[in-house]
Amino acid sequence: MRVLVVTAVPAERDAVVRGVIGATAAAEAAEAEVSESEVSVPGGRTLHRVVRPPLTVDALDAGVGPAAAAAATATALTAAELGHAPYGLVVSAGIGGGFAPAPLGSVVVGEPIVAADLGAETPDGFAAVTELGFGTVEHLPPPALVRAVAEATGAVRGAVLTVSTVTGSAERAAELCRRHPAAAAEAMEGFGVAEAAAAHGVPVLELRAISNAVGPRDRAAWRIGEALDALAGAFRHLPPALATWKGPSK
């Protein structure tokens, strides 16, 4: 299987690569050849590739926000298809804010991936684009894959909300929880990655390691280093989980 992992920034990408390499080193068939390389893709970006047959993982830092994530993901997917080496799975990954079900240092697997602020303000409050009669606001990863990843990584299962503006107040956090009772994490790229994956007919997954609580911004309370370590730990367990997943039905 070929897997494209899309992060926002290089530090997240490097944590993913570190975790995947750790998984390959710990695998039972340690004699299997493991290789690392960098591959250029259109747009001036570079994939960091880890290969251990039968798994190839390409990690890409796409930039911050859903638009940058969607554009970079779509470019990488198109390049892979044109190269006759399409991906079987796309993963949006990184750190993020956590709601009550997900404490600092935990990992969340998105179920579903939600565009939390895509819509309009109305006299009656926020209305999602689906309520306005067009578009979509969520993508649901393959349930069997979500279960396998959650069991392998110990991740919390819940909605991961994609926002273009990070929440910075208790009032907005409460409003998001009211609109999305299953919310477990907030980040800025997942829905963009999922839109690109859906356009190419490729299954999608989102993994977030929690660095801070969603609500009033308190940078002194953020635990970015711990969250990056948790992200690497999750990807250390991801390859075995993928081995138990049968892949998309044909």
Side-chain angles (χ1 to χ4, degrees):
M1 175 182 288
R2 291 171 51 80
V3 180
L4 175 65
V5 182
V6 183
T7 70
V9 298
E12 294 169 324
R13 177 205 63 207
D14 293 346
V16 167
V17 172
R18 176 158 50 95
V20 174
I21 291 173
T24 61
E28 290 183 359
E31 68 278 5
E33 182 178 353
V34 178
S35 66
E36 300 174 56
S37 61
E38 294 187 353
V39 180
S40 297
V41 293
R45 298 190 180 276
T46 301
L47 295 171
H48 288 242
R49 175 169 294 169
V50 180
V51 179
R52 178 168 184 272
L55 183 66
T56 296
V57 177
D58 287 344
L60 172 69
D61 57 300
V64 175
T73 302
T75 298
L77 289 172
T78 300
E81 291 168 2
L82 292 175
H84 305 289
Y87 292 103
L89 176 67
V90 179
V91 183
S92 176
I95 64 175
F99 292 94
L104 297 186
S106 64
V107 175
V108 174
V109 57
E111 189 184 38
I113 300 166
V114 180
D117 55 8
L118 182 60
E121 292 292 342
T122 76
D124 297 320
F126 178 81
V129 291
T130 50
E131 297 174 52
L132 302 176
F134 55 90
T136 184
V137 293
E138 70 174 46
H139 291 278
L140 187 64
L145 178 59
V146 170
R147 288 193 300 271
V149 170
E151 290 172 4
T153 64
V156 175
R157 293 164 60 176
V160 178
L161 309 186
T162 299
V163 295
S164 294
T165 302
V166 173
T167 297
S169 69
E171 292 75 16
R172 186 172 189 241
E175 173 63 14
L176 288 174
C177 286
R178 185 190 67 77
R179 296 204 324 254
H180 306 282
E186 173 188 272
M188 300 182 74
E189 293 80 32
F191 188 78
V193 173
E195 284 279 270
H200 285 260
V202 181
V204 68
L205 185 74
E206 184 167 14
L207 282 174
R208 291 287 164 181
I210 303 306
S211 61
N212 59 279
V214 176
R217 290 173 66 80
D218 178 10
R219 293 184 66 90
W222 292 2
R223 297 294 180 264
I224 293 176
E226 291 90 333
L228 290 172
D229 287 343
L231 184 65
F235 273 87
R236 184 180 177 89
H237 295 288
L238 187 64
L242 292 179
T244 68
W245 179 53
K246 302 303 182 182
S249 58
K250 301 296 184 182

